[in-house]
Amino acid sequence: MPPSRTAPLPSSGAGEDQPQTREMFYAEALNDALRIEMQRDPKVIVLGEDIAEHGGAFQVTAGLLAEFGPERIRQTPISEIGLVGTAVGAALTGLRPVAELMYIDFSGLAMDQIVNQAAQNRFMFGGQARVPLVVRTQGGSGRGNAAQHSKSLEAWFTHVAGLKVVMPATPADAKGLLAAAIRDDDPVIFIEHKLLYRTKGQVPTGEHVVPLGHADVKREGTDVTIVTWSRELLFSLEAAATLADEGISAEVIDVRSLVPLDKETILASVRKTRRVLVVHEAIKRGGYGGEIAALIAEEAFDDLDAPPRRLAGLETPIPYAQPLELGVVPQVADIITAARELATG
């Protein structure tokens, strides 16, 4: 992994008191991270459409306007290129902006600012400039929002040198990774799944930072490794529980950070189980799962008992009708079938 440019992170050494936690919704955990980081650092500002009085389309910024005022919670016109361009300029002049794009589907309207400005400035100016920008957005299917509001486009951004890409699946990781992203001196694309906002989990109270570039083994196993991220983690854990009842031990790895990628954790698991299934919601062609499969084939080929396998979305826009929508992205049953075939083949 490349050297981190993040601010110092809290220690997690053995023997220290474990942090206190409380149950939070995913959206609430993100809100908590924003509030704490804005209290900690007056340079942190938030920009976006409907983020002030309305609290954002998914209520992630609810209540922040009352606490921090309109100078730091900046409601913008409906112009993705305008709000991201403003955020890039703010970052270049010393602020730490968090720009919210309501749907990742609309990120194409701001790609020049993201790809040619935010991602390239540090390189173009020989390290003399920095762009500590977070672009928060959400993607994924499952709400019947149809093709123009349901895409999974993380692979677009992982292909751009200079961008970091994060996709948390749990409330605790959402809070900790957002804090780390805000403190990072490079631009971070922070992608939230729309059906995770109302999921619950135990979240550390107070400051909580999860370093970028560290995957997490969410379930230990010995027979097959499932590598995944975002909402497919929940499906994979459910599948692993069912497989365990059949006598198949599946290890589930949550990538969390696609760029930088924690290849050491992935390779260590694959060398243990000797079989790997990569699961993601985005369509298979050009998906980030191909990058992980290629990494494993290049660096752990001799440790494999079967070729790396990918399970991903079908090559079609997301349908509006619920039965069709469910049929084009991997569900729990699909993961069970694919992992069983790998483990027993």
PDB file of all heavy atoms in Angstrom, residues 139-164:
ATOM      1  N   GLY A 139     -25.002   4.936  -4.326  1.00  0.00           N
ATOM      2  CA  GLY A 139     -25.332   4.175  -5.519  1.00  0.00           C
ATOM      3  C   GLY A 139     -26.035   2.896  -5.148  1.00  0.00           C
ATOM      4  O   GLY A 139     -26.452   2.683  -4.012  1.00  0.00           O
ATOM      5  N   GLY A 140     -26.149   2.019  -6.131  1.00  0.00           N
ATOM      6  CA  GLY A 140     -26.738   0.719  -5.897  1.00  0.00           C
ATOM      7  C   GLY A 140     -28.232   0.680  -6.154  1.00  0.00           C
ATOM      8  O   GLY A 140     -28.906   1.704  -6.271  1.00  0.00           O
ATOM      9  N   SER A 141     -28.736  -0.545  -6.235  1.00  0.00           N
ATOM     10  CA  SER A 141     -30.134  -0.771  -6.576  1.00  0.00           C
ATOM     11  C   SER A 141     -30.917  -1.249  -5.358  1.00  0.00           C
ATOM     12  O   SER A 141     -30.375  -1.360  -4.260  1.00  0.00           O
ATOM     13  CB  SER A 141     -30.215  -1.814  -7.688  1.00  0.00           C
ATOM     14  OG  SER A 141     -29.695  -3.063  -7.220  1.00  0.00           O
ATOM     15  N   GLY A 142     -32.205  -1.538  -5.593  1.00  0.00           N
ATOM     16  CA  GLY A 142     -33.019  -2.134  -4.545  1.00  0.00           C
ATOM     17  C   GLY A 142     -34.200  -1.308  -4.074  1.00  0.00           C
ATOM     18  O   GLY A 142     -35.023  -1.797  -3.305  1.00  0.00           O
ATOM     19  N   ARG A 143     -34.308  -0.064  -4.540  1.00  0.00           N
ATOM     20  CA  ARG A 143     -35.407   0.797  -4.101  1.00  0.00           C
ATOM     21  C   ARG A 143     -36.411   1.091  -5.202  1.00  0.00           C
ATOM     22  O   ARG A 143     -37.284   1.926  -5.047  1.00  0.00           O
ATOM     23  CB  ARG A 143     -34.873   2.134  -3.552  1.00  0.00           C
ATOM     24  CG  ARG A 143     -34.157   2.031  -2.227  1.00  0.00           C
ATOM     25  CD  ARG A 143     -33.706   3.396  -1.727  1.00  0.00           C
ATOM     26  NE  ARG A 143     -34.795   4.195  -1.178  1.00  0.00           N
ATOM     27  CZ  ARG A 143     -35.117   5.422  -1.589  1.00  0.00           C
ATOM     28  NH1 ARG A 143     -34.476   5.980  -2.591  1.00  0.00           N
ATOM     29  NH2 ARG A 143     -36.088   6.086  -1.021  1.00  0.00           N
ATOM     30  N   GLY A 144     -36.269   0.441  -6.333  1.00  0.00           N
ATOM     31  CA  GLY A 144     -37.170   0.723  -7.437  1.00  0.00           C
ATOM     32  C   GLY A 144     -36.973   2.112  -8.015  1.00  0.00           C
ATOM     33  O   GLY A 144     -37.927   2.742  -8.486  1.00  0.00           O
ATOM     34  N   ASN A 145     -35.724   2.589  -8.002  1.00  0.00           N
ATOM     35  CA  ASN A 145     -35.440   3.931  -8.526  1.00  0.00           C
ATOM     36  C   ASN A 145     -35.103   3.936 -10.017  1.00  0.00           C
ATOM     37  O   ASN A 145     -34.821   4.993 -10.580  1.00  0.00           O
ATOM     38  CB  ASN A 145     -34.278   4.562  -7.758  1.00  0.00           C
ATOM     39  CG  ASN A 145     -34.622   4.893  -6.328  1.00  0.00           C
ATOM     40  OD1 ASN A 145     -33.768   4.896  -5.445  1.00  0.00           O
ATOM     41  ND2 ASN A 145     -35.889   5.188  -6.061  1.00  0.00           N
ATOM     42  N   ALA A 146     -35.078   2.761 -10.624  1.00  0.00           N
ATOM     43  CA  ALA A 146     -34.875   2.598 -12.067  1.00  0.00           C
ATOM     44  C   ALA A 146     -33.457   2.958 -12.494  1.00  0.00           C
ATOM     45  O   ALA A 146     -32.588   3.256 -11.681  1.00  0.00           O
ATOM     46  CB  ALA A 146     -35.917   3.369 -12.856  1.00  0.00           C
ATOM     47  N   ALA A 147     -33.237   2.921 -13.800  1.00  0.00           N
ATOM     48  CA  ALA A 147     -31.881   2.889 -14.354  1.00  0.00           C
ATOM     49  C   ALA A 147     -31.067   4.147 -14.083  1.00  0.00           C
ATOM     50  O   ALA A 147     -29.843   4.067 -13.928  1.00  0.00           O
ATOM     51  CB  ALA A 147     -31.949   2.628 -15.858  1.00  0.00           C
ATOM     52  N   GLN A 148     -31.712   5.308 -14.028  1.00  0.00           N
ATOM     53  CA  GLN A 148     -30.960   6.552 -13.908  1.00  0.00           C
ATOM     54  C   GLN A 148     -30.639   6.936 -12.468  1.00  0.00           C
ATOM     55  O   GLN A 148     -29.999   7.968 -12.236  1.00  0.00           O
ATOM     56  CB  GLN A 148     -31.719   7.695 -14.596  1.00  0.00           C
ATOM     57  CG  GLN A 148     -31.824   7.516 -16.101  1.00  0.00           C
ATOM     58  CD  GLN A 148     -32.552   8.664 -16.764  1.00  0.00           C
ATOM     59  OE1 GLN A 148     -33.304   9.408 -16.122  1.00  0.00           O
ATOM     60  NE2 GLN A 148     -32.349   8.817 -18.055  1.00  0.00           N
ATOM     61  N   HIS A 149     -31.066   6.099 -11.495  1.00  0.00           N
ATOM     62  CA  HIS A 149     -30.808   6.404 -10.095  1.00  0.00           C
ATOM     63  C   HIS A 149     -30.353   5.170  -9.319  1.00  0.00           C
ATOM     64  O   HIS A 149     -30.520   5.106  -8.099  1.00  0.00           O
ATOM     65  CB  HIS A 149     -32.058   6.968  -9.417  1.00  0.00           C
ATOM     66  CG  HIS A 149     -32.543   8.264  -9.994  1.00  0.00           C
ATOM     67  ND1 HIS A 149     -33.201   8.328 -11.192  1.00  0.00           N
ATOM     68  CD2 HIS A 149     -32.465   9.537  -9.530  1.00  0.00           C
ATOM     69  CE1 HIS A 149     -33.520   9.596 -11.457  1.00  0.00           C
ATOM     70  NE2 HIS A 149     -33.087  10.344 -10.456  1.00  0.00           N
ATOM     71  N   SER A 150     -29.775   4.188  -9.992  1.00  0.00           N
ATOM     72  CA  SER A 150     -29.472   2.917  -9.325  1.00  0.00           C
ATOM     73  C   SER A 150     -28.131   2.308  -9.720  1.00  0.00           C
ATOM     74  O   SER A 150     -27.884   1.136  -9.467  1.00  0.00           O
ATOM     75  CB  SER A 150     -30.580   1.895  -9.647  1.00  0.00           C
ATOM     76  OG  SER A 150     -31.845   2.371  -9.269  1.00  0.00           O
ATOM     77  N   LYS A 151     -27.250   3.085 -10.304  1.00  0.00           N
ATOM     78  CA  LYS A 151     -26.018   2.519 -10.841  1.00  0.00           C
ATOM     79  C   LYS A 151     -24.984   2.234  -9.747  1.00  0.00           C
ATOM     80  O   LYS A 151     -25.020   2.811  -8.658  1.00  0.00           O
ATOM     81  CB  LYS A 151     -25.399   3.462 -11.872  1.00  0.00           C
ATOM     82  CG  LYS A 151     -26.221   3.643 -13.131  1.00  0.00           C
ATOM     83  CD  LYS A 151     -25.487   4.524 -14.129  1.00  0.00           C
ATOM     84  CE  LYS A 151     -26.338   4.789 -15.357  1.00  0.00           C
ATOM     85  NZ  LYS A 151     -27.530   5.606 -15.044  1.00  0.00           N
ATOM     86  N   SER A 152     -24.054   1.345 -10.099  1.00  0.00           N
ATOM     87  CA  SER A 152     -22.866   1.077  -9.273  1.00  0.00           C
ATOM     88  C   SER A 152     -21.653   1.409 -10.139  1.00  0.00           C
ATOM     89  O   SER A 152     -21.267   0.620 -11.003  1.00  0.00           O
ATOM     90  CB  SER A 152     -22.845  -0.391  -8.839  1.00  0.00           C
ATOM     91  OG  SER A 152     -23.957  -0.695  -8.026  1.00  0.00           O
ATOM     92  N   LEU A 153     -21.055   2.568  -9.916  1.00  0.00           N
ATOM     93  CA  LEU A 153     -20.047   3.109 -10.833  1.00  0.00           C
ATOM     94  C   LEU A 153     -18.662   3.219 -10.208  1.00  0.00           C
ATOM     95  O   LEU A 153     -17.821   3.962 -10.696  1.00  0.00           O
ATOM     96  CB  LEU A 153     -20.492   4.491 -11.335  1.00  0.00           C
ATOM     97  CG  LEU A 153     -21.813   4.522 -12.111  1.00  0.00           C
ATOM     98  CD1 LEU A 153     -22.177   5.959 -12.476  1.00  0.00           C
ATOM     99  CD2 LEU A 153     -21.732   3.661 -13.362  1.00  0.00           C
ATOM    100  N   GLU A 154     -18.412   2.436  -9.151  1.00  0.00           N
ATOM    101  CA  GLU A 154     -17.117   2.575  -8.473  1.00  0.00           C
ATOM    102  C   GLU A 154     -15.934   2.330  -9.387  1.00  0.00           C
ATOM    103  O   GLU A 154     -14.866   2.938  -9.216  1.00  0.00           O
ATOM    104  CB  GLU A 154     -17.056   1.640  -7.262  1.00  0.00           C
ATOM    105  CG  GLU A 154     -17.177   0.153  -7.565  1.00  0.00           C
ATOM    106  CD  GLU A 154     -18.583  -0.371  -7.473  1.00  0.00           C
ATOM    107  OE1 GLU A 154     -19.536   0.433  -7.596  1.00  0.00           O
ATOM    108  OE2 GLU A 154     -18.741  -1.597  -7.258  1.00  0.00           O
ATOM    109  N   ALA A 155     -16.097   1.441 -10.388  1.00  0.00           N
ATOM    110  CA  ALA A 155     -14.969   1.122 -11.273  1.00  0.00           C
ATOM    111  C   ALA A 155     -14.509   2.345 -12.066  1.00  0.00           C
ATOM    112  O   ALA A 155     -13.332   2.451 -12.412  1.00  0.00           O
ATOM    113  CB  ALA A 155     -15.341  -0.013 -12.224  1.00  0.00           C
ATOM    114  N   TRP A 156     -15.431   3.259 -12.380  1.00  0.00           N
ATOM    115  CA  TRP A 156     -15.026   4.488 -13.058  1.00  0.00           C
ATOM    116  C   TRP A 156     -13.916   5.195 -12.282  1.00  0.00           C
ATOM    117  O   TRP A 156     -12.903   5.609 -12.849  1.00  0.00           O
ATOM    118  CB  TRP A 156     -16.209   5.457 -13.140  1.00  0.00           C
ATOM    119  CG  TRP A 156     -17.233   5.183 -14.174  1.00  0.00           C
ATOM    120  CD1 TRP A 156     -17.375   4.071 -14.943  1.00  0.00           C
ATOM    121  CD2 TRP A 156     -18.288   6.074 -14.555  1.00  0.00           C
ATOM    122  NE1 TRP A 156     -18.450   4.204 -15.767  1.00  0.00           N
ATOM    123  CE2 TRP A 156     -19.035   5.415 -15.554  1.00  0.00           C
ATOM    124  CE3 TRP A 156     -18.674   7.339 -14.137  1.00  0.00           C
ATOM    125  CZ2 TRP A 156     -20.153   6.011 -16.153  1.00  0.00           C
ATOM    126  CZ3 TRP A 156     -19.787   7.928 -14.727  1.00  0.00           C
ATOM    127  CH2 TRP A 156     -20.514   7.265 -15.717  1.00  0.00           C
ATOM    128  N   PHE A 157     -14.128   5.332 -10.991  1.00  0.00           N
ATOM    129  CA  PHE A 157     -13.242   6.155 -10.184  1.00  0.00           C
ATOM    130  C   PHE A 157     -11.970   5.423  -9.782  1.00  0.00           C
ATOM    131  O   PHE A 157     -10.922   6.045  -9.598  1.00  0.00           O
ATOM    132  CB  PHE A 157     -14.003   6.654  -8.949  1.00  0.00           C
ATOM    133  CG  PHE A 157     -15.194   7.489  -9.305  1.00  0.00           C
ATOM    134  CD1 PHE A 157     -16.479   6.972  -9.210  1.00  0.00           C
ATOM    135  CD2 PHE A 157     -15.040   8.786  -9.761  1.00  0.00           C
ATOM    136  CE1 PHE A 157     -17.583   7.730  -9.552  1.00  0.00           C
ATOM    137  CE2 PHE A 157     -16.135   9.560 -10.110  1.00  0.00           C
ATOM    138  CZ  PHE A 157     -17.407   9.033 -10.011  1.00  0.00           C
ATOM    139  N   THR A 158     -12.034   4.091  -9.644  1.00  0.00           N
ATOM    140  CA  THR A 158     -10.819   3.352  -9.300  1.00  0.00           C
ATOM    141  C   THR A 158      -9.802   3.413 -10.434  1.00  0.00           C
ATOM    142  O   THR A 158      -8.616   3.171 -10.208  1.00  0.00           O
ATOM    143  CB  THR A 158     -11.128   1.876  -8.979  1.00  0.00           C
ATOM    144  OG1 THR A 158     -11.657   1.226 -10.143  1.00  0.00           O
ATOM    145  CG2 THR A 158     -12.112   1.769  -7.825  1.00  0.00           C
ATOM    146  N   HIS A 159     -10.242   3.728 -11.633  1.00  0.00           N
ATOM    147  CA  HIS A 159      -9.338   3.789 -12.787  1.00  0.00           C
ATOM    148  C   HIS A 159      -8.603   5.124 -12.880  1.00  0.00           C
ATOM    149  O   HIS A 159      -7.721   5.281 -13.725  1.00  0.00           O
ATOM    150  CB  HIS A 159     -10.125   3.542 -14.077  1.00  0.00           C
ATOM    151  CG  HIS A 159      -9.278   3.282 -15.271  1.00  0.00           C
ATOM    152  ND1 HIS A 159      -8.516   2.142 -15.414  1.00  0.00           N
ATOM    153  CD2 HIS A 159      -9.041   4.011 -16.389  1.00  0.00           C
ATOM    154  CE1 HIS A 159      -7.856   2.175 -16.555  1.00  0.00           C
ATOM    155  NE2 HIS A 159      -8.166   3.304 -17.172  1.00  0.00           N
ATOM    156  N   VAL A 160      -8.932   6.077 -12.032  1.00  0.00           N
ATOM    157  CA  VAL A 160      -8.347   7.416 -12.119  1.00  0.00           C
ATOM    158  C   VAL A 160      -7.231   7.569 -11.095  1.00  0.00           C
ATOM    159  O   VAL A 160      -7.482   7.521  -9.882  1.00  0.00           O
ATOM    160  CB  VAL A 160      -9.424   8.499 -11.893  1.00  0.00           C
ATOM    161  CG1 VAL A 160      -8.792   9.893 -11.945  1.00  0.00           C
ATOM    162  CG2 VAL A 160     -10.527   8.374 -12.932  1.00  0.00           C
ATOM    163  N   ALA A 161      -6.000   7.743 -11.576  1.00  0.00           N
ATOM    164  CA  ALA A 161      -4.873   7.974 -10.675  1.00  0.00           C
ATOM    165  C   ALA A 161      -5.091   9.268  -9.908  1.00  0.00           C
ATOM    166  O   ALA A 161      -5.455  10.299 -10.487  1.00  0.00           O
ATOM    167  CB  ALA A 161      -3.568   8.044 -11.468  1.00  0.00           C
ATOM    168  N   GLY A 162      -4.882   9.217  -8.598  1.00  0.00           N
ATOM    169  CA  GLY A 162      -5.039  10.399  -7.763  1.00  0.00           C
ATOM    170  C   GLY A 162      -6.294  10.390  -6.920  1.00  0.00           C
ATOM    171  O   GLY A 162      -6.431  11.218  -6.014  1.00  0.00           O
ATOM    172  N   LEU A 163      -7.230   9.478  -7.215  1.00  0.00           N
ATOM    173  CA  LEU A 163      -8.447   9.364  -6.420  1.00  0.00           C
ATOM    174  C   LEU A 163      -8.361   8.168  -5.488  1.00  0.00           C
ATOM    175  O   LEU A 163      -7.818   7.127  -5.853  1.00  0.00           O
ATOM    176  CB  LEU A 163      -9.680   9.181  -7.317  1.00  0.00           C
ATOM    177  CG  LEU A 163     -10.092  10.334  -8.221  1.00  0.00           C
ATOM    178  CD1 LEU A 163     -11.318   9.932  -9.030  1.00  0.00           C
ATOM    179  CD2 LEU A 163     -10.372  11.604  -7.422  1.00  0.00           C
ATOM    180  N   LYS A 164      -8.921   8.307  -4.303  1.00  0.00           N
ATOM    181  CA  LYS A 164      -9.138   7.184  -3.406  1.00  0.00           C
ATOM    182  C   LYS A 164     -10.632   6.870  -3.411  1.00  0.00           C
ATOM    183  O   LYS A 164     -11.453   7.773  -3.571  1.00  0.00           O
ATOM    184  CB  LYS A 164      -8.638   7.508  -1.997  1.00  0.00           C
ATOM    185  CG  LYS A 164      -7.124   7.735  -1.962  1.00  0.00           C
ATOM    186  CD  LYS A 164      -6.603   8.116  -0.594  1.00  0.00           C
ATOM    187  CE  LYS A 164      -5.081   8.308  -0.637  1.00  0.00           C
ATOM    188  NZ  LYS A 164      -4.527   8.711   0.678  1.00  0.00           N
TER     189      LYS A 164
END
